[in-house]
């Protein structure tokens, strides 16, 4: 379940970036009710994009901002409450890491969904039922 965190250079130290990514991972697992699930934990992946300050914009002007994008299969965080809970937790994690250098209103999150059967792990295409089986530990190898 890829996470992409984008921040301007100098906002977060490399160590803090790693801590934020871990916090976002924990937020997904917690909201999904899957904390401790080995399959899910191993498959929350992603990247941290650190851009030159002048390349992170809001209202057309450079600003200290953070963008969190989460890509998921259709079955994940499927309810409006789950989406709201993840976005709130993700915002809290990033805001805290900013240490006062980042305004809450300059943290944006979005959740992007892959359609049924368009989720791949290790070269295998999973449909929703196959993902549920893998998460539950009942998938055939």
């Amino acid at each position: 379940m890829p996470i992409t965190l984008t921040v301007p250079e100098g906002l977060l130290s490399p160590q803090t970036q790693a801590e934020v990514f871990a916090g976002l991972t924990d937020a997904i697992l917690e909201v999904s009710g899957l904390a401790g699930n080995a399959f899910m934990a191993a498959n929350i992946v992603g990247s941290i994009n650190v851009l030159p300050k002048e390349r992170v914009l809001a209202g057309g002007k450079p600003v200290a901002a953070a963008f969190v994008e989460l890509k998921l299969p259709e079955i994940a965080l499927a309810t409006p409450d789950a989406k709201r809970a993840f976005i709130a937790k993700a915002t809290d994690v990033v805001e805290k890491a900013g240490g006062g250098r980042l305004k809450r209103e300059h943290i944006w999150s979005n959740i992007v969904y892959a359609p049924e059967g368009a989720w791949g792990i290790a070269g295998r295409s999973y449909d929703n039922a196959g993902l549920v089986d893998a998460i539950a530990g009942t998938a055939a190898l």
Side-chain angles (χ1 to χ4, degrees), residues 13 18 24 34-35 37 46-47 55 58 63 65 70 76 79 91 98 112-113 116-117 121 128 136-138 140:
S13 71
L24 294 172
L34 294 169
N37 183 284
S47 60
R55 303 270 177 140
V63 67
L70 178 58
T79 68
T91 301
V112 179
Y113 286 96
E116 168 82 21
I121 299 171
N128 292 341
T138 58

Coordinates of all heavy atoms in Angstrom, one line a residue, residues 13 18 24 34-35 37 46-47 55 58 63 65 70 76 79 91 98 112-113 116-117 121 128 136-138 140:
S13 N 14.2 16.6 9.0 CA 15.5 16.0 8.8 C 15.3 14.6 8.3 O 14.2 14.0 8.4 CB 16.2 15.9 10.2 OG 15.5 14.9 11.0
A18 N 12.0 9.6 8.3 CA 11.8 8.2 8.5 C 10.7 7.9 9.6 O 9.9 7.0 9.6 CB 13.1 7.5 8.9
L24 N 3.0 7.1 9.6 CA 2.0 7.0 8.6 C 1.6 5.5 8.4 O 0.5 5.1 8.3 CB 2.4 7.6 7.3 CG 2.6 9.1 7.3 CD1 3.2 9.6 6.0 CD2 1.2 9.8 7.6
L34 N -5.5 -3.6 11.6 CA -4.5 -4.6 11.2 C -3.2 -4.5 11.8 O -2.2 -5.0 11.3 CB -4.4 -4.7 9.7 CG -5.7 -5.1 8.9 CD1 -5.6 -4.8 7.4 CD2 -6.0 -6.6 9.2
A35 N -3.1 -3.8 12.9 CA -1.8 -3.7 13.6 C -1.3 -5.1 14.0 O -2.1 -5.9 14.4 CB -1.9 -2.8 14.9
N37 N -0.4 -7.3 11.8 CA -0.6 -8.2 10.6 C 0.7 -8.2 9.8 O 1.0 -7.2 9.2 CB -1.8 -7.8 9.8 CG -2.1 -8.7 8.7 OD1 -1.4 -8.7 7.7 ND2 -3.1 -9.6 8.8
G46 N 6.6 2.7 0.1 CA 6.5 4.1 -0.4 C 7.8 4.8 -0.6 O 8.8 4.2 -0.6
S47 N 7.6 6.1 -0.7 CA 8.7 7.0 -1.0 C 8.5 8.3 -0.3 O 7.4 8.7 0.0 CB 8.9 7.2 -2.5 OG 7.8 7.8 -3.1
R55 N 9.8 24.6 -5.1 CA 9.0 23.6 -5.9 C 7.8 23.1 -5.1 O 7.1 22.2 -5.6 CB 9.9 22.5 -6.4 CG 11.0 22.9 -7.3 CD 10.6 23.0 -8.7 NE 11.7 23.4 -9.5 CZ 12.1 23.0 -10.6 NH1 11.3 22.0 -11.2 NH2 13.0 23.5 -11.3
A58 N 1.6 26.4 -2.6 CA 0.2 26.5 -2.3 C -0.2 27.9 -2.7 O 0.5 28.9 -2.5 CB 0.0 26.3 -0.8
V63 N 5.7 27.5 -0.2 CA 5.3 27.4 1.2 C 5.8 26.1 1.8 O 6.0 25.1 1.1 CB 3.7 27.5 1.2 CG1 3.1 26.2 0.6 CG2 3.2 27.7 2.6
A65 N 5.0 23.0 3.2 CA 3.8 22.2 3.1 C 4.2 20.8 3.0 O 5.4 20.4 2.7 CB 3.0 22.6 1.8
L70 N -1.8 8.2 -0.4 CA -1.9 6.8 -0.1 C -2.6 6.1 -1.2 O -3.7 6.5 -1.6 CB -2.7 6.7 1.2 CG -3.0 5.3 1.7 CD1 -1.7 4.5 2.0 CD2 -3.8 5.4 3.0
A76 N -9.7 -1.3 0.9 CA -9.0 -0.7 2.1 C -9.6 0.6 2.5 O -9.9 1.4 1.6 CB -7.5 -0.6 1.8
T79 N -14.7 2.8 4.2 CA -15.8 3.6 4.7 C -15.4 5.1 4.8 O -14.2 5.4 5.0 CB -16.3 3.2 6.1 OG1 -15.2 3.4 7.1 CG2 -16.6 1.7 6.1
T91 N -2.4 13.7 9.3 CA -2.1 15.1 9.5 C -1.5 15.3 10.8 O -0.5 16.1 11.0 CB -3.4 15.9 9.4 OG1 -4.0 15.6 8.0 CG2 -3.2 17.4 9.5
G98 N 6.7 18.4 12.1 CA 7.1 19.7 11.6 C 7.6 20.6 12.7 O 8.2 21.6 12.5
V112 N -6.0 7.3 -3.1 CA -6.2 7.0 -4.5 C -6.4 5.5 -4.5 O -5.7 4.7 -3.9 CB -5.0 7.3 -5.4 CG1 -5.2 6.9 -6.8 CG2 -4.7 8.8 -5.3
Y113 N -7.5 5.0 -5.2 CA -7.8 3.6 -5.2 C -7.5 2.9 -6.6 O -7.8 3.5 -7.6 CB -9.3 3.4 -4.9 CG -9.6 3.6 -3.4 CD1 -10.1 4.9 -3.0 CD2 -9.4 2.6 -2.5 CE1 -10.3 5.1 -1.6 CE2 -9.6 2.8 -1.2 CZ -10.1 4.1 -0.7 OH -10.3 4.3 0.6
E116 N -10.5 -3.1 -8.9 CA -10.5 -4.6 -8.7 C -9.5 -5.3 -9.6 O -9.5 -5.0 -10.8 CB -11.9 -5.1 -8.9 CG -12.0 -6.7 -9.0 CD -12.0 -7.3 -7.6 OE1 -12.4 -6.7 -6.6 OE2 -11.7 -8.5 -7.5
G117 N -8.6 -6.1 -9.1 CA -7.7 -6.8 -9.9 C -6.4 -6.1 -10.3 O -5.6 -6.6 -10.9
I121 N 1.6 -7.4 -6.1 CA 2.6 -7.6 -5.2 C 3.5 -8.7 -5.7 O 3.0 -9.8 -5.9 CB 2.1 -7.9 -3.7 CG1 1.2 -6.7 -3.3 CG2 3.3 -8.1 -2.8 CD1 0.5 -7.0 -2.0
N128 N -9.8 -8.4 -5.0 CA -10.1 -8.1 -3.7 C -10.1 -9.3 -2.7 O -9.6 -9.3 -1.6 CB -11.4 -7.3 -3.6 CG -11.2 -5.9 -4.2 OD1 -10.1 -5.4 -4.4 ND2 -12.3 -5.3 -4.6
A136 N -5.5 -12.2 5.7 CA -6.0 -13.2 6.7 C -5.0 -14.4 6.9 O -5.2 -15.1 7.8 CB -7.4 -13.7 6.4
G137 N -4.0 -14.5 6.0 CA -3.1 -15.6 6.1 C -3.6 -16.9 5.6 O -3.1 -17.9 5.9
T138 N -4.6 -16.8 4.7 CA -5.2 -18.0 4.2 C -5.0 -18.2 2.7 O -5.5 -19.1 2.1 CB -6.7 -18.0 4.5 OG1 -7.3 -16.9 3.8 CG2 -7.0 -18.0 5.9
A140 N -3.4 -19.2 -0.8 CA -2.5 -20.4 -1.2 C -1.3 -19.8 -1.8 O -1.3 -18.8 -2.5 CB -3.3 -21.2 -2.3

